[in-house]
Amino acid sequence: MKHIAILGSTGSIGKNTLQVVRNLKDKFRVTGLSTHSQWEFLAEQVEEFNPSHVALSNPQLAEKLKHRLSYNQTEIICGNNCLKDIVLKSKADIVVSAVVGAIGLSAAIETVQAGKILALANKEALVMAGNIVMPLAKKNQILPVDSEHSAIFQALQSGKQNEIKRIIITASGGPFYDFPADTLAGVTPAQALKHPTWRMGQKITIDSATLMNKALEIIEAKWLFNLEAEQIDVVIHPQSIIHSMVEFCDGSVIAQMGMPDMKVPIQYALTYPEREGLNVEPFDLPRIESLTFKKPDLEKFPALKLGYLAAREGGTIGATLNAANEIAVQAFLEKKIRFTEISFFVEKVINNHRFIKDPCLEEILEADAWARQEIKKCLT
Ligand code: NDP
Ligand code: MG
């Protein structure tokens, strides 16, 4: 029986993780859960899974949760360090990091340092600080939940590190891929929130529409798989059936495929190196009919160029890009800036920032804080 803590249990990945656990009750026990504001939903999860510890990062709501769970043995943790506390106190073997944004970095570091398995959905942690997180981790201690990276991880089992020629990350292209470039400035948050193939949290859905999500995934892949930026290609594949590919030095290309369902990569991260049964939509190629591919348009979606820049140059660019993007996405959702201004302002902040080639954690956190302030100047 493995013990699991889920950071961000009320979100899209968190809920899918709990569904995987429901189906594998004899293999996993949930010992820790965390959320930010959805305290009533968290209370329901506590009643179903009976974890030893839960965390609520919004302190105003912790009293309500304590009152609702007063009859229960579960210990409630709140305050700034609550994610790190859950990692340690819940005595989990596996921590699923499914929080959104930079907030996940410290818990990722804590998990790896404590020698636990990190099932990582929160790609922002590696985008910001892959140079800090990866050297702390043993081989296969960080297991990808992101579907593309799970696909690459699975495909890599066909060869050795020095046999990799390149990886090909697939992208659905989001809702606007075929829109004429001059219409993108006018698209609304409601349009951007309608992703064609995946149902996800708001931030990643907007990131998928700008292709910033693919930029983050390029950087994530560079760190996870120890690749050069030149070894990472992106291809638009609207059906989201091939989740990514690895091309080896002999020209053999291994693709991982399946119906788009996040439970597949989540479950693989939990059960690795084993596989367990999972009830997924049938893989019916004649019904899918065709798989199509296009070259990504870097002019129409400049976020991708920023991803390559960050993967190539490293240093503080990842943290700066990520922080500026988090603020810009929120501003777009609040209708304070246009869709096209997300990437435009992020680029401006990257260009203005003080680049440090091999930053320590403190310098990374400083770059993050600086970028949040800097982009706010563009929004007023
Ligand atoms: P959601 O927005 O659906 O969920 C986010 C979770 O994090 C919620 O439980 C939320 O709590 C919690 N949270 C939000 N803010 C904070 C905070 N300040 N402190 C602590 N917890 C917080 O996001 P997703 O599940 O879509 O995405 C989670 C991560 O996984 C992201 O990094 C994303 O890029 C990545 N990912 C997601 C995929 C998907 O299919 N959704 C696919 C691949 C990667 P509350 O509900 O109370 O607000
Ligand atoms: Mg992905």
Side-chain angles (χ1 to χ4, degrees):
M1 188 69 112
K2 291 236 172 80
H3 289 184
I4 300 190
I6 304 167
L7 312 181
S9 62
T10 49
S12 162
I13 293 289
K15 286 186 284 186
N16 272 306
T17 306
L18 287 172
Q19 191 51 47
V20 167
V21 171
R22 265 187 208 104
N23 297 339
L24 295 173
K25 277 205 185 87
D26 55 331
K27 299 255 178 313
F28 299 109
R29 166 161 156 60
V30 175
T31 54
L33 294 171
S34 96
T35 183
H36 183 56
S37 55
Q38 295 196 66
W39 67 273
E40 285 170 301
F41 191 9
L42 178 63
E44 287 169 23
Q45 293 180 340
V46 169
E47 281 156 358
E48 180 178 353
F49 291 96
N50 208 14
S52 60
H53 292 78
V54 292
L56 192 68
S57 47
N58 184 332
Q60 275 101 47
L61 301 171
E63 283 312 310
K64 292 185 177 182
L65 183 70
K66 281 182 186 159
H67 184 70
R68 160 91 185 254
L69 294 176
S70 52
Y71 61 92
N72 193 293
Q73 302 288 309
T74 299
E75 187 178 323
I76 299 170
I77 305 168
C78 48
N80 287 342
N81 286 328
C82 69
L83 292 180
K84 278 164 73 172
D85 288 347
I86 275 286
V87 168
L88 296 181
K89 291 190 175 171
S90 66
K91 299 202 167 61
D93 306 299
I94 305 175
V95 175
V96 179
S97 181
V99 293
V100 57
I103 192 84
L105 175 59
S106 61
I109 293 175
E110 195 72 36
T111 302
V112 172
Q113 278 179 330
K116 298 166 188 292
I117 295 288
L118 175 61
L120 186 68
N122 176 252
K123 61 192 91 184
E124 292 92 337
L126 286 186
V127 169
M128 292 174 75
N131 67 320
I132 305 289
V133 178
M134 289 313 294
L136 295 173
K138 293 193 206 70
K139 191 171 159 48
N140 297 339
Q141 190 185 349
I142 302 180
L143 297 173
V145 165
D146 212 348
S147 57
E148 295 77 1
H149 303 71
S150 177
I152 294 160
F153 180 64
Q154 293 179 57
L156 282 175
Q157 290 164 32
S158 295
K160 300 195 190 80
Q161 178 77 22
N162 64 0
E163 295 165 351
I164 305 169
K165 185 169 174 199
R166 61 172 179 147
I167 63 167
I168 305 164
I169 303 180
T170 53
S172 71
F176 306 133
Y177 200 77
D178 292 324
F179 276 39
D182 59 1
T183 62
L184 288 182
V187 301
T188 64
Q191 283 174 294
L193 286 171
K194 284 206 187 88
H195 193 274
T197 46
W198 298 98
R199 296 283 154 268
M200 311 177 285
Q202 282 203 335
K203 193 246 174 192
I204 184 175
T205 306
I206 301 300
D207 285 348
S208 301
T210 54
L211 293 198
M212 190 63 88
N213 183 48
K214 232 22 76 174
L216 302 179
E217 289 183 355
I218 291 169
I219 308 166
E220 181 187 12
K222 164 205 158 101
W223 290 115
L224 266 179
F225 306 117
N226 192 19
L227 300 169
E228 300 297 327
E230 295 69 32
Q231 289 177 289
I232 307 174
D233 278 335
V234 172
V235 65
I236 305 295
H237 167 47
Q239 297 82 13
S240 300
I241 296 293
I242 298 185
H243 300 307
S244 281
M245 296 166 253
V246 177
E247 182 178 344
F248 289 98
C249 53
D250 59 357
S252 183
V253 179
I254 308 288
Q256 188 263 347
M257 295 189 238
M259 300 307 286
D261 183 338
M262 284 309 295
K263 290 195 288 302
V264 178
I266 291 169
Q267 178 167 302
Y268 191 62
L270 298 186
T271 62
Y272 175 82
E274 312 295 332
R275 290 184 189 269
E276 294 288 342
L278 181 63
N279 202 0
V280 287
E281 200 184 329
F283 185 64
D284 183 352
L285 281 176
R287 194 171 62 81
I288 297 163
E289 228 170 63
S290 61
L291 301 179
T292 59
F293 307 94
K294 284 181 223 171
K295 239 175 125 79
D297 185 338
L298 274 66
E299 299 308 315
K300 200 153 92 177
F301 295 96
L304 267 184
K305 281 196 223 172
L306 302 178
Y308 277 116
L309 174 77
R312 214 172 37 243
E313 305 296 331
T316 38
I317 297 182
T320 307
L321 173 149
N322 178 64
N325 180 57
E326 283 187 30
I327 301 293
V329 167
Q330 195 51 40
F332 169 68
L333 286 170
E334 292 166 8
K335 300 191 176 160
K336 291 181 183 153
I337 62 171
R338 292 171 185 274
F339 180 76
T340 42
E341 285 174 326
I342 300 175
S343 302
F344 179 78
F345 289 145
V346 171
E347 181 168 10
K348 203 166 151 185
V349 172
I350 292 175
N351 288 340
N352 289 346
H353 101 288
R354 190 171 67 87
F355 178 71
I356 302 173
K357 181 69 194 160
D358 193 15
C360 64
L361 183 58
E362 201 182 354
E363 288 165 328
I364 287 170
L365 296 176
E366 276 167 16
D368 172 282
W370 176 87
R372 285 170 201 269
Q373 289 309 316
E374 187 68 11
I375 196 157
K376 281 181 187 155
K377 291 185 198 158
C378 305
L379 308 179
T380 49

